[in-house]
């Protein structure tokens, strides 16, 4: 009796050659464009939609390939010469779109956001990515006496730059690699960072060096990570130093950031928007979206140093209440300092998913004065209500289902969701949709020119 040969196995696809001639299709999330080779998807960097390129394969998986366009056979009209000498295939991975004009970059980002909203959240929405202007006197607006020193369009905006260091040499990581590209200048870095001269010094014992400058006050801090005996070179301008992971002698150095006439203290390498125009623009956009009313209750999740908390507190007035929630201890200390003149603002420390269930809001009988308590009873004679408004600005991973469900149950009027990741934003908008919240308005901002990143603001109302 002859044994059955069993089910026939399809042959594994042969590995493609190292160089591929590709017709480049649409843009994809992550700074790539999509092409195909013998039925396999190829994610191509340094290309633009509609181009024909010769690409070097950089990574092979069972389902797709990654590649770098190393020769442009037919160029897009949107292609420009990359301004940075360190950009390009196999080099610095910090900028994804230096080879595209600024208007084209914004169209590419808009296409990514639209695709994520429709595919993940089932929301069909036309998106325009808005330019983020530099506040007067803080960037490439002509305030520098020496015109040759002004950064070009889309450059000179990054006020916080984290450099890698290997054997004392400073550089930036290559794409999807721990290797560094040694550099002596970063064109997207704010001039105040470049004036320190970080890239032009030796840093023995350091593993990373972050240069931080306030575009509004000129304050500078350098955050150093590495061996305990890592040496700090003499920089070109005075700075204050933070050694990450080591005990700090005295108060943690900070920079002061001015927004709408209010100063915010941000210690060490704490979170702040890196584009000088992003914080004021986002604060204004959130206020426009939520339209806070006197006496309302608002919650600011992942509040950082209190940017949105402060602006909301000013709008709801002394009879209102704003509660910020933040897990980082230093950020909480900064926020409490920044909100010290606003008694209607409070900050709770903890993970958002842990703090949200403990928040209770009450309105004392016979008065409009609002009060909040965690994990305890309410003031005698009070009635409980939810928060009128919620704003959240989570890290790139997004809020997630658990937090979304708690927000959806807490908020009563509007939710403003600020996000730097279209994929996780779309996922969370789908979760909100399941809980009866619908998208009222959507804005996107080019807060990270030359890169794939885009800042979004989604405003939701109860459907």
């Amino acid at each position: 009796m002859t044994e059955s040969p069993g089910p026939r196995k399809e042959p594994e696809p042969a590995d493609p050659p190292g160089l591929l001639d590709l017709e480049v299709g649409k843009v994809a999330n992550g700074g790539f464009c999509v092409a195909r080779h013998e039925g396999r998807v190829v994610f191509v960097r340094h290309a633009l939609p509609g181009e024909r390129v010769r690409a070097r394969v950089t990574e092979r998986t069972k389902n797709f390939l990654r590649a770098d366009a190393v020769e442009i056979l037919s160029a897009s009209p949107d292609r420009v010469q990359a301004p940075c000498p360190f950009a390009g295939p196999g080099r610095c991975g910090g900028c994804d779109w230096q080879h595209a004009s600024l208007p084209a970059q914004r169209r590419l980002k808009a296409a990514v956001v639209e695709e994520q909203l429709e595919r993940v959240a089932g929301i069909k929405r036309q998106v325009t990515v808005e330019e983020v202007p530099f506040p007067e006197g803080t960037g490439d607006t002509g305030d520098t006496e020496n015109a040759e020193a002004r950064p070009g369009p889309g450059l000179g905006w990054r006020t916080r730059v984290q450099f890698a260091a290997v054997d004392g040499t400073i550089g930036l990581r290559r794409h999807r690699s721990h290797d560094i590209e040694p550099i002596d200048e970063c064109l997207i870095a704010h001039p105040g960072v470049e004036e320190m001269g970080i890239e032009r010094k030796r840093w023995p014992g350091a593993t990373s060096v972050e240069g931080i400058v306030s575009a509004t006050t000129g304050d500078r801090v350098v955050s150093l990570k590495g061996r305990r005996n890592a040496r700090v070179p003499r920089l070109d301008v005075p700075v204050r130093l933070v050694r990450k992971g080591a005990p700090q002698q005295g108060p943690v150095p900070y920079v002061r950031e001015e927004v709408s006439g209010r100063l915010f203290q941000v210690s060490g390498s704490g979170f702040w928007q890196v584009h000088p125009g992003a914080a004021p623009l986002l604060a204004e956009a959130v206020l426009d979206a939520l339209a806070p009313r006197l006496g309302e209750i608002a919650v600011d999740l992942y509040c950082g140093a209190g940017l949105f908390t402060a602006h909301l507190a000013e709008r709801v007035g002394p009879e209102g209440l704003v509660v910020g929630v933040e897990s980082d201890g230093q950020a909480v200390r900064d926020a409490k300092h920044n909100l010290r003149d606003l008694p209607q603002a409070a900050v709770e420390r903890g993970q958002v998913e842990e703090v949200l269930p403990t928040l209770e809001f009450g309105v004392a009988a016979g008065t409009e004065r609002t009060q909040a308590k965690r994990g305890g009873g309410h003031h005698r004679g009070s009635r409980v209500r939810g928060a009128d408004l919620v704003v959240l600005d989570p890290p790139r991973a997004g809020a997630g289902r658990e937090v979304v469900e708690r927000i959806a149950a807490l908020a009563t009027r509007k939710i403003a969701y600020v996000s730097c990741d279209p994929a996780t934003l779309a996922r969370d908008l789908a979760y909100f949709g399941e809980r009866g919240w619908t998208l009222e308005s959507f804005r996107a901002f080019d807060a990270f020119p030359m890169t794939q990143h885009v800042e979004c603001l989604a405003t939701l109302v109860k459907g």
Side-chain angles (χ1 to χ4, degrees):
M1 182 175 179
T2 305
E3 286 189 10
S4 169
R8 180 180 177 182
K9 289 186 177 180
E10 293 295 327
E12 293 288 332
D15 277 346
L19 288 176
L20 308 175
D21 285 1
L22 301 171
E23 300 283 345
V24 180
K26 66 180 183 179
V27 66
N29 192 24
F32 302 93
C33 291
V34 180
R36 289 188 176 274
H37 175 75
E38 297 180 351
R40 295 175 77 180
V41 171
V42 186
F43 294 109
V44 191
R45 281 176 60 84
H46 310 292
L48 293 173
E51 290 188 328
R52 212 162 44 83
V53 304
R54 184 160 292 137
R56 179 184 296 117
V57 175
T58 58
E59 184 179 340
R60 294 176 171 86
T61 75
K62 184 177 180 180
N63 298 318
F64 63 85
L65 306 172
R66 298 184 190 274
D68 283 343
V70 295
E71 183 180 352
I72 310 304
L73 304 176
S74 176
S76 164
D78 292 323
R79 178 171 285 275
V80 299
Q81 179 66 41
C84 177
F86 305 108
R91 305 203 69 184
C92 174
C95 292
D96 309 280
W97 297 121
Q98 286 217 7
H99 56 286
S101 68
L102 278 175
Q105 291 179 34
R106 292 172 190 144
R107 290 195 300 271
L108 292 170
K109 295 178 186 186
V112 167
V113 175
E114 290 173 358
E115 190 270 341
Q116 293 292 315
L117 288 177
E118 185 169 6
R119 183 175 60 83
V120 179
I123 298 171
K124 193 170 182 61
R125 176 74 58 128
Q126 185 173 355
V127 174
T128 298
V129 175
E130 305 172 35
E131 179 183 3
V132 177
F134 281 69
E136 186 177 352
T138 63
D140 59 357
T141 54
D143 59 317
T144 307
E145 289 185 8
N146 181 4
E148 294 181 357
R150 298 174 193 159
L155 304 174
W157 53 267
R158 193 172 186 97
T159 57
R160 293 159 181 263
V161 183
Q162 185 167 318
F163 302 96
V166 176
D167 297 330
T169 298
I170 287 292
L172 293 168
R173 300 285 181 193
R174 292 171 181 153
H175 183 65
R176 295 177 63 83
S177 172
H178 292 294
D179 296 337
I180 72 165
E181 178 74 20
I183 66 170
D184 56 16
E185 181 183 22
C186 176
L187 291 187
I188 66 170
H190 188 277
V193 172
E194 284 301 304
E195 287 170 2
M196 301 180 196
I198 292 172
E199 309 101 298
R200 298 177 288 281
K201 309 293 182 183
R202 297 281 300 170
W203 295 81
T207 56
S208 72
V209 181
E210 184 176 11
I212 303 164
V213 66
S214 166
T216 53
T217 67
D219 295 343
R220 290 184 178 90
V221 166
V222 166
S223 179
L224 171 69
K225 184 177 181 180
R227 296 199 306 262
R228 185 167 295 183
N229 63 346
R231 297 213 313 270
V232 180
R234 183 181 181 86
L235 296 180
D236 296 345
V237 293
V239 302
R240 290 178 290 174
L241 179 70
V242 177
R243 287 184 180 267
K244 294 182 73 171
Q248 180 70 36
Q249 299 296 322
V252 176
Y254 58 85
V255 297
R256 296 162 300 156
E257 301 282 359
E258 184 178 349
V259 180
S260 304
R262 172 177 287 274
L263 283 176
F264 292 84
Q265 170 182 301
V266 186
S267 298
S269 55
F271 174 77
W272 190 260
Q273 290 287 337
V274 294
H275 192 297
L281 181 58
L282 286 169
E284 181 182 358
V286 166
L287 292 179
D288 288 346
L290 294 179
R293 302 166 185 164
L294 290 174
E296 285 195 314
I297 297 174
V299 177
D300 179 10
L301 304 175
Y302 315 93
C303 71
L307 173 68
F308 299 136
T309 313
H311 284 82
L312 286 167
E314 290 175 342
R315 286 293 185 93
V316 302
E319 301 305 322
L321 173 70
V322 182
V323 179
V325 180
E326 173 58 49
S327 61
D328 182 77
Q330 187 59 60
V332 169
R333 289 187 285 273
D334 284 341
K336 289 182 175 180
H337 172 83
N338 298 332
L339 302 168
R340 64 194 184 282
D341 64 323
L342 297 166
Q344 67 270 37
V347 181
E348 298 288 352
R349 181 181 180 183
Q351 299 293 331
V352 165
E353 58 271 24
E354 296 173 359
V355 174
L356 267 179
T358 71
L359 286 177
E360 297 175 341
F361 301 100
V363 182
T367 178
E368 288 301 312
R369 180 67 178 176
T370 56
Q371 303 176 43
K373 283 185 172 293
R374 284 186 62 186
H378 301 284
H379 286 268
R380 185 176 299 175
S382 67
R383 60 181 175 83
V384 179
R385 76 183 194 205
D388 302 287
L389 308 170
V390 175
V391 59
L392 64 155
D393 185 3
R396 197 171 301 282
R401 182 180 289 276
E402 178 186 354
V403 171
V404 164
E405 290 180 349
R406 293 195 180 280
I407 295 171
L410 173 69
T412 61
R413 191 163 73 80
K414 281 192 178 185
I415 298 167
Y417 191 145
V418 180
S419 171
C420 62
D421 190 293
T424 56
L425 172 61
R427 178 203 66 199
D428 288 346
L429 291 182
Y431 295 156
F432 275 115
E434 294 171 3
R435 307 295 293 182
W437 288 82
T438 60
L439 187 63
E440 179 186 59
S441 63
F442 192 95
R443 296 177 70 183
F445 307 97
D446 194 14
F448 313 92
M450 303 294 170
T451 79
Q452 58 149 322
H453 302 293
V454 58
E455 198 81 10
C456 299
L457 170 61
T459 309
L460 300 121
V461 293
K462 193 76 170 176

